[in-house]
Amino acid sequence: MKQLLYMFFIMCIASCTTVYGQESNTPLDSVARVEQEAKELAAVKKKVDKAEREAAKAEKEKEKAEKKKKKAEKEKKKLENLQSSISSKEKSISKDEAKIVKLEEKLFKGERKGDLSPNDIRKINDKIKKLKLGIEKDREKLQKLRKKL
């Protein structure tokens, strides 16, 4: 009987120790689990923050590239407009020179034949002077445009 009582007592102590040991391990396990989850959450948060920074950086680089592209297109358009202006000034000068040649021929032929009155001659000479002044102004503008190139 003593042995039975002794066995019963040992079993009770062993079962209580096991039960209390499991209960004490469970809170420790849950605390450890919570700490582990917190660490994992922090790691995920760091990765997300890093990814967001990289995305923002990529967005900035994309905006810079778009700005460069727009600036290059603007420069190209400006250059085309400048070349167009130069060609139009050259055309204008050549047209005015052709007009001067025609007026001088008209003046020469009219004076030779005697068809022109002194008033007509003065008008033609005034037109020629006016065209020559216009040509000089256009040449100065043309030089300025070519310097811009």
Side-chain angles (χ1 to χ4, degrees), residues 42-57:
V44 168
K45 188 175 180 182
K46 280 184 181 180
K47 287 180 181 179
V48 167
D49 289 343
K50 186 177 179 182
E52 287 176 353
R53 283 192 304 264
E54 288 176 1
K57 187 177 178 181

Side-chain angles (χ1 to χ4, degrees), residues 3-17:
Q3 283 183 342
L4 270 175
L5 194 56
Y6 183 70
M7 274 300 243
F8 179 72
F9 182 70
I10 290 178
M11 286 179 127
C12 283
I13 292 176
S15 67
C16 287
T17 308

Side-chain angles (χ1 to χ4, degrees), residues 136-148:
E136 287 303 314
K137 287 181 183 178
D138 284 347
R139 282 191 177 145
E140 288 174 9
K141 289 179 184 178
L142 185 62
Q143 278 183 325
K144 288 179 183 178
L145 289 173
R146 285 185 176 155
K147 284 182 184 178
K148 288 182 182 180

Side-chain angles (χ1 to χ4, degrees), residues 96-113:
D96 286 348
E97 287 175 343
K99 284 180 184 178
I100 289 174
V101 169
K102 285 183 181 180
L103 287 172
E104 286 176 343
E105 287 176 2
K106 183 179 179 182
L107 183 64
F108 180 72
K109 286 179 184 178
E111 284 180 342
R112 199 169 48 166
K113 290 183 181 179

Side-chain angles (χ1 to χ4, degrees), residues 10 27 63-64 81 110 114 147:
I10 290 178
E63 288 174 2
K64 281 184 182 180
N81 287 341
K147 284 182 184 178

